Amino acid sequence: MDGVLVIDKPTGPTSFDVVRQVRSLLRLKKVGHTGTLDPLATGVLPLCLGEATKVAGFITEGDKAYDATVRLGSETDTLDAEGQVTAQAPVPALTPALIESALARFRGTFDQVPPMYSAVKVGGKRLYELARAGEEVERAARQVTVYELVLRDFSAERLQLSVRCSKGFFVRTLAQDVGRALGCGAHLEALRRTASGPFTLAQALPLADVPALLKEGALASRLMTMSHALVELPEVRVGAADAKRVSHGVPVEVPAGKVGRVRVMGPDDALLAVAEVAGGRLRYLRVLV
């Protein structure tokens, strides 16, 4: 079974828990996710099955979208509702103008420091492992981009936000930063990923439904092809002769005007490779045939 299965992750399990469960149910050796979701978070979690694991690294490059609930007035050590409260402050009287002035600081491209409770590796160890051991280490800031940050609703102590951002962006950090911009601190109370690259909630399958669909023989129809998984990459089509050259890693010339990363498609609509176009020729990043 090869392809991408989009799971609507429930709250509670880690992304790795979901991978293990699906691997066991499908009796597959190769299953991998394409971007970690915290146990607290729900929503779109694309899983690469079988041969699709070869393109997992390219899928993680896609933008992400989230709906977030931010609880104002308290900060936690994990920056979310699962942590211990570390600071509290009164919440000011909120108005749309006040909230907008705070949110405006977090649109566009800027540097963000990963939180200690995260899967980012420093010195070969994941930060959350160090945090659980009581250690705090220096973390290099990473450039991130927020394309959209929208206030959907608010109450005396909560903000409902929608975010569309680049990979590697931490909504938990955003929650704390917005709280500090408002002068009261905050933490992330709930998070739902609504899109990851080309995958959306409309395509997502609740994890609990997987066993029944597998038993009915209907699960394969829910798989996305590797080509669809990379649909955000421009396409280069080659004929039968060039398809054979691609399969052997032989550089192939491409039409003028093509630049950057592309997906290479054969005459039978099969995904042959992921490549960079340089000097009018394909430089292969991954050959899939």
Side-chain angles (χ1 to χ4, degrees):
M1 189 176 288
D2 304 311
V4 179
L5 181 65
V6 187
I7 295 293
D8 184 350
K9 177 192 168 299
T11 188
T14 66
S15 299
F16 297 105
D17 291 335
V18 176
V19 167
R20 283 191 288 267
Q21 186 171 338
V22 170
R23 182 188 293 133
S24 176
L25 285 168
L26 274 54
R27 298 181 181 178
L28 288 175
K29 290 184 178 180
K30 296 181 180 179
V31 179
H33 67 74
T34 61
T36 303
L37 276 179
D38 294 333
L40 175 79
T42 67
V44 176
L45 182 66
L47 301 184
C48 291
L49 312 182
E51 288 297 294
T53 55
K54 294 179 179 178
V55 300
F58 302 110
I59 297 174
T60 62
E61 299 291 321
D63 297 337
K64 310 293 189 290
Y66 301 91
D67 287 340
T69 301
V70 176
R71 178 64 183 266
L72 302 173
S74 60
E75 296 185 356
T76 70
D77 54 0
T78 60
L79 313 191
D80 63 20
E82 296 191 326
Q84 300 296 314
V85 174
T86 57
Q88 292 180 294
V91 180
L94 299 176
T95 65
L98 179 64
I99 298 169
E100 179 58 31
S101 69
L103 296 182
R105 309 180 194 185
F106 306 105
R107 297 188 180 102
T109 299
F110 52 91
D111 288 339
Q112 186 187 62
V113 177
M116 277 302 302
Y117 283 89
S118 68
V120 173
K121 284 187 175 181
V122 172
K125 290 190 176 182
R126 298 196 182 276
L127 285 174
Y128 65 73
E129 295 173 337
L130 298 173
R132 289 169 182 167
E135 298 180 46
E136 182 163 352
V137 298
E138 288 288 325
R139 288 98 68 200
R142 304 188 298 180
Q143 190 176 83
V144 295
T145 300
V146 173
Y147 303 102
E148 293 182 21
L149 177 55
V150 178
L151 175 65
R152 293 187 290 112
D153 199 3
F154 70 95
S155 63
E157 294 183 336
R158 288 178 176 84
L159 306 180
Q160 303 291 337
L161 305 177
S162 289
V163 187
R164 186 169 66 86
C165 54
S166 61
K167 70 164 188 173
F169 182 79
F170 286 94
V171 184
R172 283 182 288 135
T173 300
L174 172 69
Q176 177 175 271
D177 289 345
V178 169
R180 290 180 175 179
L182 290 169
C184 58
H187 65 268
L188 185 66
E189 189 170 63
L191 184 68
R192 184 158 178 75
R193 186 153 70 190
T194 57
S196 178
F199 304 108
T200 66
L201 280 173
Q203 301 162 325
L205 177 68
L207 181 60
D209 291 356
V210 172
L213 287 173
L214 183 62
K215 186 176 181 180
E216 295 166 6
L219 189 64
S221 66
R222 299 299 298 265
L223 293 183
M224 306 291 179
T225 65
M226 288 188 283
S227 179
H228 179 86
L230 300 173
V231 71
E232 295 180 329
L233 294 181
E235 176 185 291
V236 168
R237 283 197 170 266
V238 298
D242 280 341
K244 189 171 183 178
R245 293 187 182 95
V246 171
S247 70
H248 289 94
V250 178
V252 171
E253 292 187 0
V254 297
K258 292 285 187 181
V259 293
R261 188 171 292 182
V262 298
R263 56 192 169 112
V264 185
M265 304 295 297
D268 57 354
D269 284 335
L271 178 66
L272 304 179
V274 178
E276 293 273 359
V277 177
R281 296 163 71 87
L282 294 176
R283 182 174 65 83
Y284 303 109
L285 303 175
R286 189 71 192 242
V287 175
L288 303 166
V289 291

